[in-house]
């Protein structure tokens, strides 16, 4: 790999970086989704890339792709690695294209209400920038620190889609590097344009994106509507959508509210009784206009709905950004994701709840309503496993849930590695056209291979035989019966060791990466909270640590920005103190290197910019008028 790194560096015209050290490659081998240990051992024993490149210009990105094409090396695009389906996991090796440092804001046009940003820009970067000029994004995923390129490449459904529809519909143009290395721009009228949206890095690498933004609303008024039965809530949602235009409408079942209350009590043990959320089935509706909110109130009164607009509504509105805090409840966390017609959601939720009981997991449902009579429906379940059979059965529940949803008229949402068998069900009539496009532009299937169009593993494909698309409908109907007999509540415990304990609680959401001054200075994910927890675990598993890894672990300002944004609410600075203490005992501390690092952070004034740090505003940071 040393020779390839040197050859690649010679191809570059700008400051692009190449990583080939073993622990960086190990960090790049995961995404947010935690593959159950049994499955990982069999199917993904090694998912490290051969090299990772952070391209600093579109020309360098093109040069990397031309280089890989010549040597027949696969590519895997990666944003913030917050997608849980394995889309950014290089399980067949190759060159990982890391866009997480491409955070340029190129151009903002207030008259046209559009912005052009680098694919690695975080939603937080874009929103913080726009708010200075009285604007904001129309929609965003609840993974606030994921990349714009990542959401364009995946589903595009999140907050604000009830009003504005999918993020894909707001995109006006893209700059893409094709699998041939050619740099192309596509606008929304181009017949090829849609092939790059939601296709998870199969068709090329997105370099920049221009999309619609809006004036910042002056208010956000959340309401909660309470129901005893989930089907009543879902019927009400249909009526509400027919008559009103909320910015966002979401359904949460009573099990989900129970989880949120549990976490609230865990965080605030002295919370007074009655302060928590009512454990009912809820609709959370957010309006951004006083008149619309008033009209909604009048309508709800006439229908005698039980509506809350107090701090509980605000609490749940704030909680929307922390969907993975449930990782604190149990070590196992899995989900199914489907877009269902709104009139099919009630039977689906009834069925998913029943399946949760059969598999002895804690299952809760949420739905995000879109503007086209569909909703993204997410049954999410946590579990403690009781051995490898129990764990495998509980992991298979995700397939049973997806297959059940498809039977009820739903379409799978994310594909990645694990949902590849459901690809046809997602794209239906578009499937053949997409496949033909892939075959014509990437005949060797070098872009993101072994997933999406075909599930293939380096370790061989026999173990994955049950995941063939034609076999899944045959075994999924019987699995609940077997699970009901064999699955148990589980007794899996969390590790006692401080580092491993926090690693286990970490939801791998990546929120801590773009706010970390060490990352902004070094562009090395091993210096971030997610990276350090992984590295800490890796070192313990290996029983050894290299001097280079030890030195990297000291590159930390102990500023606590990672704790402030942490999805799992981890208290992280004491963990860094402990890690450093352990490493120092073995290797001592490279004081000159640490001092040089601190000086560099200070000189770049990284700490002076709170939380939106790291985005690079071009064109003088001023809006461009047309
Ligand atoms: C806390 C949390 C909340 C979430 N909430 C939502 C939500 O509300 N809605 C939702 O849809 N998802 C959500 N997700 C899932 C995930 O955050 C989104 O899919 C997100 O858009 C992925 O962005 P990323 O930068 O992390 O992409 P990655 O995970 O790095 O990559 C995702 C896929 O896109 C491809 N890709 C990435 N960048 C590029 C590029 N520049 N060019 C070509 N291909 C590329 C990758 O190859 C991969 O297949 C959530 C995840 C977490 C952890
Ligand atoms: S304490 Fe600061 S520098 Fe250290 S990992 Fe957390 S955010 Fe990064
Ligand atoms: S440390 Fe916290 S913010 Fe960082 S990945 Fe883990 S859960 Fe997310």
């Amino acid at each position: 790999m040393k020779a390839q790194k040197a050859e690649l560096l010679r191809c570059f015209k700008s400051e692009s970086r190449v990583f080939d050290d073993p622990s960086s490659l190990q960090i790049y081998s995961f995404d947010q989704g935690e593959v159950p240990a049994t499955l990982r051992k069999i199917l993904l024993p090694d998912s490290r890339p051969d090299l990772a490149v952070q391209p600093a210009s579109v020309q360098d990105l093109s040069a990397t792709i031309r280089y890989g094409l010549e040597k027949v090396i696969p590519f895997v695009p990666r944003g913030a690695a917050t997608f849980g389906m394995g889309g950014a996991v290089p399980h067949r090796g190759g060159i990982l294209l890391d866009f997480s440092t491409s955070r340029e804001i190129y151009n903002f046009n207030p008259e046209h209400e559009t912005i052009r940003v680098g694919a690695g820009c975080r939603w937080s970067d874009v929103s913080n920038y726009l708010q200075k000029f009285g604007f904001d994004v129309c929609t965003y995923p609840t993974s606030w620190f994921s990349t714009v390129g990542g959401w364009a490449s995946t589903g595009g459904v999140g907050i604000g889609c009830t009003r504005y529809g999918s993020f894909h519909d707001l995109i006006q143009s893209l700059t893409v590097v094709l699998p041939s290395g050619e740099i192309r721009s596509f606008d929304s009228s181009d017949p090829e344009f849609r092939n790059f949206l939601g296709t998870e890095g199969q068709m090329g690498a997105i370099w920049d994106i221009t999309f619609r933004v809006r004036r910042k609303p002056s208010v956000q008024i959340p309401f909660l509507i309470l129901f005893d039965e989930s089907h009543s809530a879902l019927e009400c949602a249909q009526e509400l959508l027919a008559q009103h235009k909320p910015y966002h409408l979401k359904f949460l079942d009573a099990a989900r509210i129970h989880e949120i209350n549990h976490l609230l009590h865990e965080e605030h043990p002295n919370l007074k009784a009655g302060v928590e959320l009512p454990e009912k089935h809820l609709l959370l509706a957010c309006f951004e206009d006083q008149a619309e909110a008033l009209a909604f109130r009048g309508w709800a009164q006439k229908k005698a709905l039980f509506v809350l607009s107090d701090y509980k509504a605000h609490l749940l509105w704030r909680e929307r950004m922390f969907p993975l805090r449930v990782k604190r409840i149990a070590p196992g966390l899995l989900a199914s994701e489907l877009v269902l017609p709104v009139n099919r959601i009630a039977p689906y939720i009834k069925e998913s709840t029943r399946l949760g009981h059969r598999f002895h997991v804690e299952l809760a449902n949420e739905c995000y309503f879109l503007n086209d009579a569909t909703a993204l429906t997410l049954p999410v379940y946590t579990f403690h496993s009781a051995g490898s059979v129990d764990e495998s059965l509980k992991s298979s529940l995700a397939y049973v849930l997806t297959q059940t949803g498809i039977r009820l008229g739903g379409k799978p949402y994310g594909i990645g590695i694990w949902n590849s068998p459901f690809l046809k069900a997602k794209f239906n009539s578009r499937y053949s056209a997409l496949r033909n496009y892939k075959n014509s532009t990437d005949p060797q299937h070098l872009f993101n291979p072994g997933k999406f169009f075909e599930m293939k593993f380096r370790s061989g494909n026999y173990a994955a035989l049950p995941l063939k698309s034609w076999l899944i409908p045959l075994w999924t109907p019987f699995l609940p019966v077997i699970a009901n007999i064999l699955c148990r509540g589980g007794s899996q415990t969390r590790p006692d060791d401080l580092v491993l304990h926090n690693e286990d609680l970490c939801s791998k959401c990546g929120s801590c990466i773009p706010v970390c001054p060490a990352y902004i200075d070094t562009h090395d994910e091993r210096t971030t909270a997610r990276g350090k927890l992984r590295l800490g675990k890796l070192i313990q598993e290996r029983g050894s640590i290299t001097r280079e890894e030890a030195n990297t672990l000291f590159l930390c300002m102990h500023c606590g920005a990672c704790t402030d944004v942490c999805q799992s609410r981890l208290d992280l600075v004491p963990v860094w103190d402990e890690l450093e203490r352990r490493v120092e005992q073995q290797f001592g501390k490279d004081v000159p290197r640490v001092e040089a690092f601190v000086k560099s952070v200070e000189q770049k004034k990284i700490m002076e910019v709170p939380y939106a740090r790291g985005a690079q505003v071009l064109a003088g940071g001023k809006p461009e008028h047309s």
Side-chain angles (χ1 to χ4, degrees):
M1 286 307 124
K2 285 259 171 295
Q4 286 190 340
K5 178 177 177 178
E7 281 169 6
L8 259 174
L9 285 170
R10 276 199 292 277
C11 300
F12 294 154
K13 300 270 182 291
S14 31
E15 301 287 295
S16 301
R17 297 187 55 176
V18 181
F19 293 83
D20 65 346
D21 59 280
S23 52
S24 288
L25 299 180
Q26 194 78 40
I27 298 288
Y28 282 124
S29 69
F30 294 88
D31 71 358
Q32 184 276 325
E34 285 191 78
V35 183
T38 330
L39 208 62
R40 173 167 283 282
K41 247 185 242 158
I42 302 171
L43 294 177
L44 297 181
D46 182 5
S47 53
R48 285 169 302 173
D50 300 317
L51 292 174
V53 174
Q54 283 174 348
S57 66
V58 70
Q59 288 76 19
D60 281 6
L61 173 60
S62 164
T64 309
I65 291 172
R66 287 182 199 276
Y67 173 84
L69 193 62
E70 197 186 302
K71 310 256 173 198
V72 198
I73 302 174
F75 302 100
V76 180
R78 181 191 199 251
T82 65
F83 178 54
M85 295 288 179
V89 173
H91 69 307
R92 294 184 63 82
I95 300 177
L96 184 130
L97 303 169
D98 177 6
F99 290 99
S100 65
T101 52
S102 309
R103 292 167 68 187
E104 295 83 5
I105 292 175
Y106 292 108
N107 169 320
F108 163 49
N109 187 321
E111 275 128 54
H112 292 165
E113 302 196 342
T114 57
I115 192 161
R116 181 164 79 94
V117 303
C121 249
R122 306 307 206 274
W123 289 96
S124 52
D125 297 335
V126 186
S127 176
N128 281 324
Y129 172 78
L130 287 171
Q131 287 193 34
K132 289 186 204 147
F133 307 105
F135 283 76
D136 208 342
V137 293
C138 301
T139 62
Y140 51 92
T142 59
S143 45
W144 189 232
F145 296 98
S146 62
T147 69
V148 175
W151 212 34
S153 304
T154 54
V157 177
I159 308 294
C161 291
T162 313
R163 180 123 205 178
Y164 290 96
S166 158
F167 172 55
H168 296 173
D169 298 333
L170 301 171
I171 301 179
Q172 300 198 333
S173 62
L174 302 165
T175 303
V176 177
V177 181
L178 298 177
S180 60
E182 188 189 350
I183 303 168
R184 288 276 305 273
S185 288
F186 295 97
D187 70 37
S188 54
S189 62
D190 197 307
E192 288 173 60
F193 173 77
R194 280 264 160 189
N195 293 344
F196 300 95
L197 304 180
T199 47
E200 301 179 7
Q202 287 292 322
M203 309 302 194
I206 299 175
W207 177 253
D208 68 42
I209 303 178
T210 304
F211 60 98
R212 234 186 85 201
V213 296
R214 60 173 178 151
R215 290 208 167 270
K216 186 176 176 332
S218 54
V219 286
Q220 285 199 318
I221 311 166
F223 294 97
L224 293 184
I225 321 171
L226 278 53
F227 299 88
D228 289 326
E229 304 288 341
S230 58
H231 67 85
S232 317
L234 292 158
E235 277 161 23
C236 178
Q238 290 186 58
E239 276 185 60
L240 196 158
L241 288 171
Q243 309 209 16
H244 300 276
K245 276 200 166 297
Y247 170 63
H248 187 65
L249 182 68
K250 181 177 173 182
F251 164 80
L252 302 94
D253 71 2
R256 178 74 184 112
I257 302 300
H258 178 72
E259 282 176 352
I260 294 172
N261 279 339
H262 172 93
L263 292 164
L264 208 63
H265 279 289
E266 190 195 60
E267 199 182 343
H268 307 284
N270 299 325
L271 210 65
K272 283 193 194 131
V275 172
E276 66 273 348
L277 295 163
E279 293 199 3
K280 302 262 182 190
H281 304 282
L282 299 183
L283 287 178
L284 169 66
C286 183
F287 290 87
E288 294 190 329
D289 179 284
Q290 293 281 10
E292 283 175 5
L294 210 64
F296 163 75
R297 261 184 194 284
W299 176 80
Q301 228 160 27
K302 261 196 223 148
K303 292 187 68 69
L305 294 175
F306 189 168
V307 176
L308 295 178
S309 59
D310 59 1
Y311 73 91
K312 290 181 184 171
H314 287 271
L315 177 89
L316 205 57
W317 179 238
R318 197 188 68 106
E319 272 301 310
R320 78 195 184 284
M321 303 308 282
F322 300 98
L324 291 190
R325 205 141 59 87
V326 286
K327 186 73 185 17
R328 293 190 70 94
I329 292 179
L333 171 62
L334 287 168
S336 169
E337 306 172 332
L338 286 144
V339 177
L340 279 151
V342 280
N343 60 359
R344 306 308 291 151
I345 298 172
Y348 179 66
I349 284 182
K350 195 170 163 208
E351 190 56 16
S352 69
T353 307
R354 191 185 69 85
L355 287 167
H357 293 312
R358 294 214 128 193
F359 282 76
H360 296 266
V361 299
E362 303 298 324
L363 186 142
N365 289 286
E366 283 192 1
C367 302
Y368 294 71
F369 292 89
L370 279 127
N371 62 352
D372 61 356
T374 63
L376 173 59
T377 307
L378 302 157
V380 178
Y381 60 99
T382 56
F383 58 94
H384 293 83
S385 75
S388 52
V389 173
D390 182 80
E391 186 185 58
S392 304
L393 284 167
K394 286 173 180 167
S395 310
S396 312
L397 171 58
Y399 282 97
V400 180
L401 289 165
T402 305
Q403 185 61 38
T404 306
I406 292 172
R407 194 167 38 77
L408 287 170
K411 288 182 181 180
Y413 182 64
I415 297 294
I417 300 175
W418 306 109
N419 272 349
S420 305
F422 299 120
L423 186 71
K424 274 191 192 162
K426 178 177 168 83
F427 287 107
N428 291 334
S429 55
R430 276 188 72 208
Y431 173 80
S432 302
L434 283 173
R435 220 192 151 101
N436 291 342
Y437 187 76
K438 170 82 177 170
N439 291 339
S440 66
T441 56
D442 182 14
Q444 301 183 80
H445 284 217
L446 290 182
F447 254 83
N448 228 350
K451 57 183 86 159
F452 202 82
F453 286 110
E454 50 177 2
M455 190 192 250
K456 273 194 182 163
F457 297 95
R458 267 203 278 209
S459 56
N461 296 312
Y462 291 112
L465 201 65
L467 303 183
K468 287 270 170 215
S469 55
W470 56 272
L471 267 177
I472 291 176
L474 301 183
W475 58 260
T476 42
F478 301 104
L479 208 66
V481 182
I482 300 169
N484 200 25
I485 299 166
L486 296 181
C487 285
R488 288 289 155 262
S491 54
Q492 192 183 0
T493 51
R494 304 228 187 237
D496 289 331
D497 176 90
L498 182 70
V499 178
L500 295 185
H501 183 78
N502 280 278
E503 197 281 335
D504 199 54
L505 287 170
C506 165
S507 61
K508 321 290 184 280
C509 70
S511 304
C512 48
I513 295 170
V515 301
C516 174
Y519 179 70
I520 290 155
D521 185 61
T522 62
H523 287 186
D524 182 341
E525 196 169 316
R526 292 175 304 169
T527 62
T528 67
R530 183 171 78 176
K532 279 200 284 216
L533 289 174
R534 275 205 176 132
L535 192 54
K537 184 177 178 188
L538 189 70
I539 291 165
Q540 296 243 3
E541 281 171 357
R542 260 203 251 127
S544 65
I545 170 172
T546 65
R547 180 166 291 281
E548 206 269 328
E549 287 164 354
N551 287 341
T552 306
L553 284 172
F554 283 109
L555 305 183
C556 176
M557 298 299 286
H558 292 249
C559 62
C562 45
T563 298
D564 291 348
V565 299
C566 184
Q567 178 85 208
S568 293
R569 299 267 208 278
L570 303 178
D571 184 12
L572 291 161
V573 176
V575 185
W576 312 149
D577 290 337
E578 174 60 16
L579 253 181
E580 289 179 18
R581 191 190 60 76
R582 288 181 196 176
V583 172
E584 195 168 356
Q585 267 178 358
Q586 200 177 342
F587 283 103
K589 184 171 173 179
D590 185 346
V591 176
R593 182 158 174 205
V594 175
E595 282 175 357
F597 156 72
V598 173
K599 201 167 160 198
S600 168
V601 170
E602 281 170 0
Q603 272 172 354
K604 292 179 192 163
K605 300 195 164 101
I606 295 171
M607 305 285 286
E608 289 173 23
V609 187
Y611 301 114
R613 42 178 82 130
Q616 207 193 342
V617 178
L618 302 178
K622 298 231 167 58
E624 262 181 30
H625 294 268
S626 51

